[in-house]
Amino acid sequence: MPRRIYEDYAYGDAARAECIWPLPQGHWPALEGDARAEVAIIGGGYTGLSAALHLAQAGAHVTLLEAHNPGWGASGRNGGFCCIGGDKLGIGPIRKLFGADAAHGYVTAQRAAIDLVRDLLTTHNIDADTHSDGELQLAHHPRVMSALQAEQDEWANYGVKTRLIERSDLAAKGVTGAFHGGLHVPLGFALNPGKYAAGLAEAACKAGVTVHAHSPVTNITRSEGTYLLETPTGRLTADKLILATNGYGTDGLPDWMTGRYLPLQSNILVTRPLTDEEIKAQGWTTDLMAYDSRHLLHYFRLLPDRRFLFGSRGNIRATQKTHATMRARLTREFGALFPAWAKVETPYFWSGLVSLSRDLLPYVGPIGDWENAWAGMNYHGNGVAMGTWVGAKLADMALGTCQQEPVHTRPLPRFPFPAIRRAYLYPALARYRLQDGPPPR
């Protein structure tokens, strides 16, 4: 029996009601009656749209089914960090597990993912309000500076020239707050995630993709080398299947999915536009994407329209009450980190689901032993670039032209006792909050 692990609130419109990013608009009628496609894609976020676009450009007949509107989920409500990432394991452990060549390939893939987004924006004339020369990781405690130094050395091994910034030099870079230094990694850029999702959807449709919104898949059946996908109002038969639902997936749809992803709520608070005087009072003038070094990190950036975006992970339950509680928590933490803005109105707050894997690595590969069926997911909160790249890899797999990526295509492990895996988050988040301590003042 298909089931989702959060309450209905996480999968409804209320969780994103105050999102500032525009929801993509288009003519995407629900699937009605019987239809046929060469490739069926479930999920209209970056992964599904990228896969659809690349397949259609190669001449494939593609139909994409989305439960809401394209970009409705995490792709249309994230912080807009198009940057390195996709894992929570780290390059050092990846190298130990998979070897030096595979680690180098993984780093190359991260850089290629950023380049792919940049190329898509240019090729399809998508104006996504881009800014920021890479991202800045800020030390929330003095002991973190040695770790940032080690990270700088690690990046140097892969030809990336980063810049370690001492605490005394932060203000000159337009960075303020009780941070103890930082590491600037000049890879990636910030964007408007809603505009990017809308641009991808438009490009996919122009390439010939058939998109059906408001068409949640309720059952998948294999029969005689084809896949039958059922929605409330239609049925789609396809030769090949791509699953791109990430944190918005459903256990049991198909059975292989059960326990191979763990959704975690991420939350974003945005201020009204700040005045010159308010910006001067706080002293934060950089447009760099930034995040702190906590386990439950804060991520933030000054938007082009001078609103300030501030986000964090958390919330294990998804109800109207817990949504309000998380808003209050994030408001307090925002005021602690940026005291000059503690009284500034924050009229926008929303939440969405990121997805974790048991081994803390992203996945792109087969759906168990199903033939001509693949899935891409688990970007650990960094899916703008990685999700787009995974979509292109899924397209290559469906076309039979994909080269193996040892890290991404390893067998995806299941969480033990998957029906109760959300409960694993309670002790994990409690431990992380204890280790992180209160926000710096």
Side-chain angles (χ1 to χ4, degrees):
M1 180 70 178
R3 64 179 292 271
R4 285 172 152 175
I5 72 168
Y6 279 93
E7 296 85 355
D8 289 344
Y9 189 92
Y11 309 102
D13 290 329
R16 64 157 293 141
E18 294 179 353
C19 182
I20 62 170
W21 312 127
L23 190 64
Q25 301 295 320
H27 179 64
W28 304 307
L31 178 67
E32 299 282 350
D34 291 336
R36 189 73 167 79
E38 179 184 353
V39 184
I41 298 176
I42 304 175
Y46 299 141
T47 301
L49 291 171
S50 175
L53 173 60
H54 285 90
L55 281 166
Q57 288 176 328
H61 177 209
V62 183
T63 296
L64 184 150
L65 302 178
E66 163 59 38
H68 296 274
N69 267 24
W72 178 91
S75 294
R77 65 177 89 176
N78 61 82
F81 284 49
C82 179
C83 57
I84 56 171
D87 68 277
K88 281 295 181 186
L89 194 59
I91 297 302
I94 288 174
R95 186 168 53 246
K96 290 179 181 178
L97 284 172
F98 296 93
D101 289 345
H104 187 273
Y106 184 74
V107 172
T108 300
Q110 290 188 82
R111 301 183 72 170
I114 294 169
D115 291 340
L116 176 58
V117 175
R118 185 181 286 110
D119 290 345
L120 289 169
L121 293 174
T122 300
T123 300
H124 300 287
N125 298 311
I126 303 172
D127 181 4
D129 303 332
T130 58
H131 67 91
S132 182
D133 175 25
E135 59 181 345
L136 179 64
Q137 182 179 3
L138 293 164
H140 81 285
H141 192 278
R143 65 174 178 269
V144 176
M145 288 302 289
S146 59
L148 293 184
Q149 176 67 68
E151 188 172 334
Q152 182 180 44
D153 296 340
E154 188 76 84
W155 279 116
N157 292 332
Y158 296 98
V160 179
K161 187 176 181 179
T162 62
R163 185 174 70 227
L164 195 68
I165 305 172
E166 298 297 333
R167 182 174 189 172
S168 58
D169 296 325
L170 286 176
K173 306 296 183 183
V175 176
T176 56
F179 301 110
H180 299 271
L183 181 68
H184 177 212
V185 180
L187 299 176
F189 53 91
L191 51 67
N192 181 313
K195 289 185 177 181
Y196 176 46
L200 278 184
E202 181 179 0
C205 289
K206 286 182 178 178
V209 176
T210 299
V211 176
H212 291 292
H214 307 292
S215 300
V217 175
T218 57
N219 191 48
I220 304 172
T221 306
R222 287 194 300 165
S223 177
E224 299 179 355
T226 62
Y227 292 93
L228 176 64
L229 283 61
E230 299 177 56
T231 73
T233 57
R235 306 193 313 167
L236 174 66
T237 301
D239 302 314
K240 301 176 182 179
L241 172 65
I242 288 175
L243 188 61
T245 51
N246 200 33
Y248 288 85
T250 302
D251 280 4
L253 201 64
D255 289 340
W256 176 87
M257 275 288 288
T258 303
R260 300 192 192 273
Y261 65 106
L262 176 57
L264 174 65
Q265 292 183 76
S266 192
N267 314 271
I268 292 177
L269 191 77
V270 176
T271 70
R272 59 160 170 76
L274 299 166
T275 66
D276 291 341
E277 292 76 15
E278 287 167 335
I279 291 176
K280 182 179 179 181
Q282 181 57 50
W284 186 280
T285 59
T286 182
D287 73 344
L288 283 175
M289 303 178 289
Y291 65 101
D292 64 25
S293 56
R294 295 165 173 270
H295 295 288
L296 297 177
L297 58 84
H298 301 102
Y299 52 95
F300 35 90
R301 63 185 176 104
L302 186 63
L303 303 179
D305 64 5
R306 300 164 70 84
R307 289 182 285 193
F308 197 80
L309 179 149
F310 184 78
S312 182
R313 311 284 188 247
N315 250 10
I316 301 172
R317 298 193 62 205
T319 66
Q320 184 176 2
K321 181 178 179 180
T322 58
H323 189 80
T325 300
M326 190 64 199
R327 182 177 198 152
R329 173 192 287 274
L330 205 55
T331 300
R332 291 193 301 271
E333 293 177 354
F334 171 66
L337 281 165
F338 301 98
W341 296 338
K343 301 297 183 181
V344 170
E345 296 86 353
T346 52
Y348 310 98
F349 176 77
W350 67 93
S351 63
L353 298 176
V354 304
S355 188
L356 318 176
S357 64
R358 183 183 177 186
D359 59 4
L360 304 180
L361 294 169
Y363 179 74
V364 53
I367 298 176
D369 60 358
W370 283 12
E371 295 182 356
N372 295 321
W374 305 270
M377 56 187 175
N378 296 338
Y379 312 127
H380 301 87
N382 272 307
V384 177
M386 185 54 67
T388 304
W389 181 88
V390 164
K393 287 297 175 184
L394 288 167
D396 288 343
M397 290 177 177
L399 294 168
T401 60
C402 183
Q403 295 181 346
Q404 289 297 305
E405 303 282 348
V407 177
H408 294 85
T409 58
R410 88 261 167 233
L412 182 60
R414 251 194 183 114
F415 284 91
F417 307 106
I420 61 168
R421 67 190 185 279
R422 185 174 66 159
Y424 302 159
L425 295 173
Y426 286 98
L429 295 188
R431 182 174 70 254
Y432 288 154
R433 287 195 173 109
L434 182 63
Q435 292 173 345
D436 288 340
R441 293 182 178 272

